[in-house]
Amino acid sequence: MNPPVVLIVAGNDPSGGAGIAADIQAVTALGAHPAPVISALTVQDTVDARAVQMVDTRFIVEQAEAVLADLPVAAIKLGLLGSAEIGLAVAALLERYPALPLVVDPVLYAAGGAALAEEELIAVYLERLAPRATVITPNALESRRLAPSAADPDARARALLEHGARAVLVKGGDEPTADVTNSLHLADGTVQRWEWPRLPGSFHGSGCTLASAIAARLAHGDTLGAAVDAAQRATQHWLDASWQLGRGQRIPARR
C-alpha cells in the first residue's frame, strides 16, 4: 500500500535540527510521505537563528498547488510562515481544502529566542488559521504571545479555542516545571493531559517534530486524541535518543 501524504509548509534550518528537515524525518519515521513546501530560508544553527529570508508568497502557493493537484494529500502541517502576507495566502489556499486535517505549529521564535515572525502574523493565526485548524500546537512562549491576557496555560488554550480552533495542544517543554505537562483542549471543553519526565538538556526542533508526527498520524486516519498520544510517545523516544551534534541544543534522533 502507498503511504499517506502529508503536505508541509515550513522553513529550512540548515542545521537539520528543526524546520523542514525535522518535519520530513518525523513524517517518514511514522510511515507517511512528506511533501515539503519551502516557505523560508534561515541562517541558523543549534544555538540560534541569525537571519530569515522569506520565499516569494506566490511561489509558496504554487509549490503547494502543484502538490495538491498531483498527490493524494491526507493531512497538512504548517510550520514557519514568517509574514502576514504569507499567512493570508496560505489561509486562502486552505479554504479550498476544508476536509483535510490541518496541524498549525505557530513558529514564532528560534531555539535561542530569536524572533522568526512579524507581529502582524499573530492576527492571521487568530483570525484566519485558527478557525481552519484541526489542532494548534504552541509552546508556552508562543501561547503567551497568541493570548497575552490569559493567566495560565488552560486560559490561553480557551482563548485560542474562542478563535475557532477545534483543538489546542498547549506544550510545557519550555515551562520551569519538574516534569513536562502537555494538555489537549477540545472545543467541547474536554481536556486531556499527559505528564512526561523532563529529559536532561534541551532540544532543537522538538516542536516541529511533534506537530509533524501528529500530522502523520492524522494522515493514517487516527482520531485526534490517538494521533496526539502516538506523536508524543514517538517524540519522547526520539528526544531520549537525541544526538549532541553541535554547540547548542541536542537534535532528536527521528528514526
Side-chain angles (χ1 to χ4, degrees), residues 10-124:
N12 183 60
D13 167 15
S15 79
I20 206 76
D23 300 325
I24 290 171
Q25 289 176 346
V27 167
T28 302
L30 293 183
H33 175 76
V37 170
I38 304 298
S39 60
L41 304 176
T42 69
V43 178
Q44 185 175 181
D45 55 23
T46 59
V47 178
D48 206 354
R50 292 181 289 281
V52 181
Q53 180 175 310
M54 308 312 300
V55 173
D56 176 76
T57 300
R58 185 60 209 164
F59 199 65
I60 295 170
V61 172
E62 288 177 352
Q63 291 178 75
E65 287 176 333
V67 171
L68 288 160
D70 182 46
L71 303 180
V73 173
I76 300 172
K77 184 262 182 177
L78 302 183
L80 174 61
L81 299 178
S83 73
E85 178 183 334
I86 292 172
L88 288 169
V90 170
L93 174 65
L94 294 175
E95 289 172 357
R96 291 152 49 188
Y97 301 89
L100 288 178
L102 173 66
V103 179
V104 176
D105 184 20
V107 177
L108 302 176
Y109 300 99
L116 294 175
E118 65 182 24
E119 187 65 29
E120 292 79 7
L121 181 59
I122 300 298
V124 179

Side-chain angles (χ1 to χ4, degrees), residues 134-136 157 166-170 182-186 189-194 224-226 228-229 232:
T134 304
V135 62
I136 305 177
R166 280 170 270 178
V168 179
L169 178 66
V170 177
N182 298 331
S183 56
L184 179 65
H185 299 251
L186 305 184
T190 302
V191 180
Q192 186 174 0
R193 302 187 196 277
W194 290 262
L224 178 59
V228 171
D229 181 75
Q232 287 182 89

Side-chain angles (χ1 to χ4, degrees), residues 107-185:
V107 177
L108 302 176
Y109 300 99
L116 294 175
E118 65 182 24
E119 187 65 29
E120 292 79 7
L121 181 59
I122 300 298
V124 179
Y125 276 125
L126 297 176
E127 297 168 11
R128 296 293 302 278
L129 293 173
R132 175 61 184 81
T134 304
V135 62
I136 305 177
T137 64
N139 61 27
L141 187 60
E142 291 159 347
S143 68
R144 287 186 176 92
R145 190 169 174 192
L146 291 167
S149 62
D152 56 44
D154 287 356
R156 292 192 286 273
R158 289 193 297 270
L160 292 175
L161 290 172
E162 289 173 358
H163 282 277
R166 280 170 270 178
V168 179
L169 178 66
V170 177
K171 300 173 294 186
D174 53 341
E175 295 279 30
T177 53
D179 292 323
V180 175
T181 301
N182 298 331
S183 56
L184 179 65
H185 299 251

